[in-house]
Amino acid sequence: QVINQAQTRAVGSAGSIIGAQWQPGRWPMKAALAFKNENDRVLAKVEGSYQTLTLMMWARIDAIPGPRSTLLLTEKPKRWVLNGTLSPEVLEEATTRRANSAVQETRWMIDQEAKANLNIALVGSKNNPLAWDQYMTENPVVGPSEWGNWSALAVTYDTVKNQVVHYVNGELVDAQPLKKSLPILLDYLEIGNLSTWENEQEQGVNFRFYGAID
């Protein structure tokens, strides 16, 4: 597990490590999780909807092996059934919360061009269930010259200031107005990867992070 260090522990759960291994981190006696294999990931829960949200991590990107490299994403409750972690009662409650939320999924990633991207999925139409609002940095933030080095990556989502702001190593690198000002439902989180169904794996669906997260 990754122990939840929040002052109010009720804010979220501990993180359950799947596959990823501990290794030396940013300095001696400091640990980090290494993500090397296709299924390495961390599962966690943070209940509730949020008008303002900051996501931040120390990450060492060693490569971007696919179309996107996942930092953190929220997921449909049914996808968590893949991990055997939800009882039928909990699944029903979580599905009801999701049905009452305009925001369905949130994905914070680095794409193949090394740009940071916050994707917000909203309830779409009958033919297109999800409508994605994308907030991508104009320029690369962790290109090949930064691979193998630690970077402090952060993004803020703020319905009060009506903006999304990306940061790298404490410096503001991109700010964009919100397309729609809606609270984000978190609930079920996956760090460093996405749990995939067998048919998705056969189709080559790949969200893996390759490197280390402190």
Side-chain angles (χ1 to χ4, degrees):
Q1 288 191 323
V2 180
I3 303 302
N4 178 14
Q5 300 289 349
Q7 288 184 346
T8 305
R9 298 293 173 87
V11 167
S13 71
S16 298
I17 302 168
I18 299 178
Q21 300 292 316
W22 291 109
Q23 68 168 32
R26 289 177 288 146
W27 61 78
M29 306 302 292
K30 183 74 170 74
L33 273 178
F35 294 75
K36 299 296 183 185
N37 300 310
E38 291 185 1
N39 293 318
D40 292 354
R41 59 198 185 278
V42 175
L43 309 178
K45 285 179 63 178
V46 178
E47 295 182 359
S49 295
Y50 297 86
Q51 300 282 353
T52 60
L53 182 69
T54 298
L55 304 176
M56 178 183 173
M57 67 168 60
W58 280 96
R60 192 196 73 219
I61 295 174
D62 294 337
I64 300 178
R68 82 285 291 175
S69 186
T70 296
L71 301 177
L72 180 144
L73 51 80
T74 69
E75 264 309 332
K76 302 181 187 73
K78 285 186 178 179
R79 190 174 290 275
W80 263 48
V81 175
L82 289 167
N83 303 298
T85 53
L86 293 184
S87 67
E89 295 80 11
V90 171
L91 175 60
E92 183 178 357
E93 292 173 1
T95 301
T96 300
R97 284 196 299 271
R98 181 84 36 182
N100 293 327
S101 173
V103 173
Q104 296 292 290
E105 297 176 24
T106 300
R107 295 183 173 180
W108 182 31
M109 303 176 292
I110 304 293
D111 74 1
Q112 206 162 33
E113 296 181 348
K115 297 178 180 180
N117 190 3
L118 185 70
N119 278 355
I120 308 295
L122 310 175
V123 175
S125 62
K126 182 177 180 180
N127 296 328
N128 188 17
L130 295 179
W132 291 90
D133 285 345
Q134 180 173 269
Y135 303 93
M136 181 184 291
T137 59
E138 183 177 355
N139 299 308
V141 296
V142 279
S145 62
E146 283 84 36
W147 290 356
N149 298 317
W150 288 101
S151 299
L153 306 174
V155 63
T156 61
Y157 178 94
D158 194 331
T159 63
V160 178
K161 295 181 179 179
N162 198 46
Q163 64 180 1
V164 169
V165 183
H166 292 274
Y167 299 87
V168 178
N169 296 325
E171 299 291 334
L172 189 156
V173 296
D174 196 279
Q176 301 176 39
L178 287 179
K179 297 177 174 68
K180 299 178 185 66
S181 186
L182 296 166
I184 287 181
L185 174 68
L186 294 180
D187 249 6
Y188 297 98
L189 310 176
E190 300 204 33
I191 299 170
N193 213 330
L194 170 71
S195 298
T196 51
W197 303 96
E198 186 176 347
N199 66 316
E200 291 174 325
Q201 295 170 11
E202 292 172 352
Q203 295 167 12
V205 173
N206 181 5
F207 281 78
R208 65 184 289 204
F209 175 90
Y210 188 80
I213 295 174
D214 189 334

